[in-house]
């Protein structure tokens, strides 16, 4: 019998850690970084290859099934309400934990340089919002810009259902077929996840080591504790009481996607796995998952929102700045906006920190403090991002009366 995919990924993850540590101890870390990591690059490229066609096919075929504008409006309202409420809950959890544990107060930390390419790399929020409407949808697809691609696909799918006969049927069949092909192609790539995960993790450990974590231990504990609270308490409670969904069954259904999010630190790269796990393991229809998940992978980032808040207040604590209630409120609000604006790629949340520091007048050098541990925290917050998208999809599917769900309590 073949081992289940999530076990394969978990074993690959552990082997990757061991191999990376061995590489550092025995001095062959360059071999891992330069040669072994190529397997990780191949895997990430293959995942990125399917993202745009998968999103387009899935959204168009999903939206044609939604039917009326009224259904569409109701689904959008539920989805955006879920995104905003859970992101705010995550931020507030972060706020409570960092204020209770206050790891930054009195900490003496050496400042590190901020890498030049991260400075000034932040897009203005207004530009991000305007950019949702593509001036040329094909260019957005070619450039891999997710939000404008989603926007155009949603409209296109919706108007297929408004097109006259026989074109509406023909186009619906065409995109349904396109989607079936993309799903099979995605499954094929997913088979190689353990290999990709092994190489990526081995490279991270070989190039960072574990010793950088020690001086920032308190800060990491605060982030991890708050993330765990959100992932293991808040979201499961919502799943159970609002969705009528079993958190344990959901966790089992999504484990391969969560482990992949952990290893790749990218919600976007994980999206193909999230979608296939949601549909095949959790039994959610393509109609719901193709609407909630691609949007969620780009704008619903609970883990990132929580992290932004904790990191900003940690930096304030280290610099001895006492943030007033009003300033903490600004942190909450900007953390929410930053998480919406962050792309689903590694370290996007770190780059967005600049917005919050600027908003409350904290020094940009503060970023240098937390940079060395960002990668490992990124892995955790990305898993929470994907977990929240998945929980939202299940809750919304249940509320829409889906009967094929395999995760009901
Ligand atoms: N890496 C995260 C994600 O893809 C975003 C972040 O950096 O917080 O979801």
């Amino acid at each position: 019998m073949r081992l289940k995919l999530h076990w394969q990924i978990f074993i690959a993850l552990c082997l990757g850690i061991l191999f990376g540590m061995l590489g550092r101890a025995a001095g062959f870390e360059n071999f891992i970084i330069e040669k072994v990591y190529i397997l990780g690059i191949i895997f990430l490229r293959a995942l990125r290859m399917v993202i745009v066609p998968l999103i387009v096919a899935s959204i168009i075929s999903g939206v044609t099934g939604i039917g009326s504008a009224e259904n569409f409006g109701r689904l959008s309202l539920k989805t955006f309400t879920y995104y905003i409420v859970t992101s705010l809950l995550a931020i507030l959890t972060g706020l409570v934990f960092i204020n209770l544990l206050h790891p930054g107060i009195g900490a003496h930390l050496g400042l590190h340089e901020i890498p030049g390419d991260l400075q000034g790399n932040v897009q203005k929020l207004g530009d991000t919002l305007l950019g949702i409407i593509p001036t040329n949808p094909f260019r957005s697809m070619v450039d891999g810009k997710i939000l404008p691609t989603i926007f155009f696909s949603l409209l296109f799918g919706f108007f297929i259902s408004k097109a006259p006969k026989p074109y509406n049927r023909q186009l619906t069949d065409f995109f349904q077929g396109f989607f079936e092909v993309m799903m099979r192609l995605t499954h094929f790539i997913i088979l190689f996840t353990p290999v990709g995960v092994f190489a990526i993790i081995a490279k991270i450990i070989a190039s960072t080591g574990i010793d950088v974590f020690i001086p920032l231990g308190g800060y990491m504990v605060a982030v991890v504790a708050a993330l765990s609270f959100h992932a293991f308490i808040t979201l499961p409670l919502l799943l159970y009481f609002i969705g009528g969904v079993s958190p344990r069954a959901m966790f089992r259904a999504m484990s391969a996607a969560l482990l992949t999010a952990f290893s790749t630190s990218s919600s976007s790269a994980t999206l193909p796995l999230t979608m296939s796990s949601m549909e095949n393991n959790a039994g959610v229809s393509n109609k719901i998952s193709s609407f909630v998940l691609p949007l969620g992978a780009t704008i619903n980032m609970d883990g990132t929102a929580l992290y932004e808040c904790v990191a900003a207040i940690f930096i304030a604590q280290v610099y001895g700045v006492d943030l007033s209630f009003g300033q903490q409120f600004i942190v909450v609000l900007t953390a929410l906006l930053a998480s919406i604006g962050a792309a689903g790629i590694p370290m996007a949340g770190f780059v967005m920190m600049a917005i919050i520091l600027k908003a409350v007048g904290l020094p940009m050098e503060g970023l240098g403090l937390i940079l060395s541990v960002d990668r490992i925290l990124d892995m955790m917050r990305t898993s929470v991002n994907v977990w929240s998208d998945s929980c939202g999809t299940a809750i919304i599917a249940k509320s829409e009366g889906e009967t094929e769900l395999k995760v009901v309590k």
Side-chain angles (χ1 to χ4, degrees):
M1 209 180 85
R2 270 191 51 197
L3 215 52
K4 282 232 163 73
L5 182 65
H6 56 264
W7 284 115
Q8 292 181 28
I9 300 176
F10 183 70
I11 293 168
L13 197 106
C14 298
L15 290 177
I17 295 176
L18 287 179
F19 192 60
M21 281 168 41
L22 192 72
R24 274 181 85 81
F28 62 88
E29 63 263 45
N30 284 341
F31 169 74
I32 297 180
I33 297 167
E34 284 159 22
K35 300 284 183 323
V36 177
Y37 185 53
I38 294 174
L39 292 171
I41 297 179
I42 294 175
F43 172 66
L44 287 173
R45 288 187 71 100
L47 274 183
R48 292 210 187 102
M49 171 178 84
V50 292
I51 291 173
V52 169
L54 179 67
I55 290 181
V56 171
S58 149
I59 294 186
I60 294 181
S61 66
V63 170
T64 48
I66 291 182
S68 67
E70 192 195 321
N71 286 345
F72 190 68
R74 194 185 57 242
L75 198 56
S76 311
L77 186 70
K78 283 184 188 172
T79 306
F80 284 97
T81 309
Y82 174 85
Y83 289 166
I84 304 279
V85 169
T86 53
S87 296
L88 280 176
L89 285 174
I91 296 174
L92 294 178
T93 308
L95 196 64
V96 170
F97 272 83
I98 191 74
N99 278 311
L100 282 180
L101 300 175
H102 48 74
I105 295 178
H108 295 289
L109 301 167
L111 280 178
H112 305 263
E113 285 288 313
I114 316 170
D117 57 347
L118 284 179
Q119 297 179 9
N121 210 354
V122 179
Q123 218 192 359
K124 284 211 202 81
L125 192 76
D127 292 345
T128 312
L129 289 179
L130 273 183
I132 293 177
I133 305 174
T135 49
N136 179 345
F138 296 103
R139 183 175 312 134
S140 304
M141 291 177 202
V142 170
D143 292 342
K145 295 217 168 88
I146 304 298
L147 281 182
T149 301
I150 292 177
F151 184 82
F152 179 76
S153 308
L154 284 174
L155 284 177
F156 193 82
F158 180 73
F159 282 102
I160 285 181
S161 59
K162 300 280 167 245
K165 277 183 194 153
Y167 309 114
N168 53 0
R169 196 62 267 152
Q170 286 168 349
L171 284 171
T172 304
D173 287 348
F174 172 79
F175 281 103
Q176 191 60 41
F178 185 10
F179 174 64
E180 294 291 336
V181 174
M182 282 318 301
M183 266 309 206
R184 280 169 177 72
L185 179 51
T186 305
H187 277 148
F188 175 68
I189 294 170
I190 288 174
L191 293 179
F192 298 94
T193 311
V195 181
V197 163
F198 169 78
I200 295 169
I201 294 291
K203 185 237 173 189
I204 293 174
I205 299 290
S207 49
T208 348
I210 309 211
D211 32 347
V212 295
F213 303 149
I214 295 162
L216 287 158
Y219 162 66
M220 293 177 72
V221 167
V223 176
V224 175
L227 283 176
S228 309
F229 187 92
H230 189 68
F232 297 120
I233 297 185
T234 311
L235 291 175
L237 284 177
L238 293 181
L239 268 180
Y240 194 83
F241 288 107
I242 300 193
V245 170
S246 152
R248 198 187 298 205
M250 262 302 282
F251 209 74
R252 223 175 289 133
M254 301 310 295
S255 45
L258 296 175
L259 286 168
T260 308
F262 183 80
S263 320
T264 60
S265 293
S266 170
S267 315
S268 293
T270 312
L271 184 60
L273 259 115
T274 320
M275 292 183 76
S276 88
S277 307
M278 205 70 221
E279 290 175 28
N280 299 325
N281 305 347
V284 170
S285 73
N286 173 242
K287 188 178 87 178
I288 304 281
S289 80
S290 74
F291 184 79
V292 185
L293 288 177
L295 267 178
T298 359
I299 62 179
N300 179 44
M301 298 197 177
D302 292 10
T304 302
L306 181 154
Y307 156 85
E308 303 282 318
C309 173
V310 172
I313 295 189
F314 173 71
I315 291 172
Q317 290 175 349
V318 173
Y319 280 95
V321 179
D322 211 2
L323 293 178
S324 65
F325 182 77
Q327 279 173 311
Q328 299 217 7
F329 184 73
I330 296 180
V331 170
V332 170
L333 215 63
T334 40
L336 178 67
L337 295 178
S339 73
I340 293 174
I345 54 172
M347 288 186 80
F350 181 79
V351 176
M352 295 305 266
M353 276 300 299
I355 297 184
I356 304 180
L357 296 183
K358 202 156 153 226
V360 282
L362 285 167
M364 285 295 156
E365 289 72 40
L367 286 179
L369 282 177
I370 53 171
L371 176 64
S372 53
V373 294
D374 186 71
R375 180 67 204 215
I376 179 97
L377 296 178
D378 194 4
M379 297 160 87
M380 299 184 192
R381 65 183 187 249
T382 308
S383 311
V384 176
N385 292 345
V386 170
W387 177 229
S388 168
D389 296 340
S390 316
C391 295
T393 314
I395 292 174
I396 293 169
K398 184 79 194 310
S399 79
E400 288 285 301
E402 294 216 337
T403 49
E404 305 286 303
L405 282 189
K406 298 176 193 157
V407 285
V408 281
K409 69 182 184 200

